[in-house]
Amino acid sequence: MVERMFKSVGGGPDRLTLVLIPNFSMIAFTSVVEPLRLANYVSGKTLYEWEIASRDGQSVVASNGISIAATKSVADYDRTPPNVILCSGVDAHVYKDNAVFGWLRRWAREGAHIGAICTGAHVLAHAGLLTGYRCTLHWENLDSFLEEFPDLDVRAELYEIDRDRFTCAGGVAALDMMLSEIGAAHGPELASAVSEQFMHERMREGSDDQRLPLQARLRISHPKLIRAIAEMEKNTEEALSRDDIAERVGLSRRQLERLFRRYLNTSPARYYLKLRLNRARTLLTQTTMPVTEVAFASGFTSASHFSKCYRDMFGRTPRAERRGPGVSPEVRAAGEADVYGDVAEEAE
């Protein structure tokens, strides 16, 4: 039996409150609303009703610059809304609004089903509403989320529905989650009809991968090379030696070197280093972790060596990365206060 997300009250339409967080993802937001609109249209019935709320009842600007009007503030609710969906996107990891957190906790205590799309799991986690629940969020934010909330049950799934909490990855993952809910509540035929309206050829399960398979991402098909890269991606914190990787995929070190040169025009060491440094870049720009901790989390045993490699790869030091455009003030301030980062860069 497919687990339902929404709480039904009084036998009428399912009612939803979408709470917009500044810089929310427009595609994730519309991937929630449009399937519900089409479910009403295709069925000829009002199966779903929704309204838009914000912190203060004012319009909220999405990450693409488009403003969406809210009809209520979170404080305007005399009764607890039965279903609440947090819509967020860029910089959700630094969103700290105690008033919003308080309303979310109150609604949760009073029985609301509360979910989040894209990076909204950050908001729920900061509000303390994911403890004891499975959750997920956009793949680009998984590493930094796991570093910040190591005790949460985080899955790299397309979406997770766990009792009265639900979360999903970014992009159109919300579409698949909504189709699952429509199917559970009103039958697979309606869900399929809505999916066809979108020309969405396959309704994905929550357990489907968020990312394209390696073969599609890299446009290579050699099975042992794919396995070697998969081993690298699984072991960014505890870096493997080239001999270890070669042994795990059934190759000699020389054969492994040849495959990387032939298909990717690089060496295994260089490819692995870039993979680990890209992880480091994510942690530097999305968390307040000190540079030393970022280094260790990316498979480096020396902060000074990490700083040198980072500058060689990206043309700037880790601390300079945190002063770059698009980095939140909170993360930037953490970088300025990181005395260990100073020591690491001076030691180069």
Side-chain angles (χ1 to χ4, degrees):
M1 181 178 178
V2 178
E3 190 171 3
R4 286 207 56 193
M5 295 190 306
F6 295 155
K7 179 180 183 179
S8 296
V9 179
D14 284 340
R15 292 181 287 112
L16 288 75
T17 296
L18 290 90
V19 179
L20 303 184
I21 306 299
N23 287 318
F24 67 94
S25 164
M26 183 64 77
I27 191 169
F29 167 74
T30 55
S31 291
V32 170
V33 174
E34 286 300 290
L36 306 182
R37 179 188 69 82
L38 283 170
N40 291 347
Y41 169 75
V42 172
S43 67
K45 303 174 184 176
T46 304
L47 302 177
Y48 299 98
E49 294 178 343
W50 55 89
E51 60 187 2
I52 311 299
S54 67
R55 169 44 165 111
D56 54 7
Q58 300 300 308
S59 299
V60 181
V61 180
S63 58
N64 63 3
I66 297 175
S67 181
I68 297 293
T71 56
K72 283 187 176 182
S73 78
V74 292
D76 286 337
Y77 286 84
D78 297 326
R79 296 182 180 179
T80 296
N83 302 289
V84 178
I85 302 179
L86 291 170
C87 306
S88 66
V90 177
D91 288 343
H93 57 291
V94 296
Y95 180 80
K96 306 284 176 60
D97 190 314
N98 289 328
V100 172
F101 295 164
W103 281 103
L104 292 173
R105 287 192 287 265
R106 173 181 169 179
W107 291 341
R109 288 194 303 270
E110 294 176 355
H113 285 208
I114 300 179
I117 58 175
C118 194
T119 58
H122 271 289
V123 182
L124 291 184
H126 283 303
L129 295 177
L130 287 180
T131 302
Y133 290 89
R134 301 187 312 274
C135 64
T136 190
L137 74 167
H138 192 281
W139 62 265
E140 191 176 31
N141 302 90
L142 279 171
D143 282 345
S144 57
F145 189 83
L146 285 164
E147 293 290 343
E148 188 171 3
F149 302 104
D151 297 327
L152 294 184
D153 185 359
V154 186
R155 313 286 180 92
E157 309 288 296
L158 200 64
Y159 57 87
E160 281 287 353
I161 302 170
D162 187 357
R163 292 159 291 164
D164 53 356
R165 296 288 183 278
F166 50 93
T167 49
C168 75
V172 296
L175 169 58
D176 294 285
M177 187 170 71
M178 291 300 125
L179 290 171
S180 173
E181 171 65 14
I182 291 167
H186 303 289
E189 294 82 7
L190 179 59
S192 295
V194 172
S195 185
E196 286 186 333
Q197 289 285 325
F198 282 105
M199 294 179 284
H200 190 55
E201 65 179 15
R202 184 176 73 88
M203 292 182 286
R204 296 175 293 175
E205 302 292 331
S207 58
D208 280 12
D209 290 333
Q210 291 189 18
R211 304 186 69 183
L212 291 172
L214 274 171
Q215 293 95 321
R217 272 192 276 148
L218 301 175
R219 294 185 175 88
I220 55 176
S221 59
H222 195 289
K224 292 196 173 182
L225 180 56
I226 292 295
R227 285 174 56 197
I229 294 171
E231 288 292 335
M232 291 177 177
E233 290 191 349
K234 286 190 299 185
N235 294 277
T236 51
E237 187 166 355
E238 298 290 337
L240 302 172
S241 71
R242 279 166 286 178
D243 288 333
D244 287 337
I245 297 169
E247 183 179 350
R248 291 186 182 203
V249 300
L251 294 171
S252 69
R253 179 170 171 172
R254 181 174 293 180
Q255 288 171 322
L256 184 68
E257 296 274 356
R258 283 202 297 262
L259 280 179
F260 271 84
R261 287 290 180 195
R262 177 180 176 184
Y263 288 95
L264 297 171
N265 196 31
T266 191
S267 68
R270 186 68 177 168
Y271 187 93
Y272 203 4
L273 177 63
K274 185 174 181 180
L275 192 69
R276 289 158 50 215
L277 288 172
N278 280 329
R279 168 182 164 84
R281 195 179 198 179
T282 298
L283 296 177
L284 284 169
T285 56
Q286 295 184 6
T287 76
T288 58
M289 292 169 63
V291 168
T292 302
E293 290 184 19
V294 171
F296 295 154
S298 307
F300 293 87
T301 56
S302 161
S304 58
H305 180 232
F306 162 66
S307 185
K308 181 181 185 304
C309 291
Y310 197 95
R311 186 171 62 182
D312 290 345
M313 179 69 72
F314 298 117
R316 54 191 171 276
T317 64
R319 275 167 52 83
E321 185 73 79
R322 281 185 157 160
R323 292 193 293 267
V327 177
S328 70
E330 181 173 311
V331 172
R332 186 177 293 115
E336 294 297 335
D338 182 10
V339 295
Y340 296 105
D342 286 327
V343 173
E345 293 180 8
E346 288 172 3
E348 290 181 27

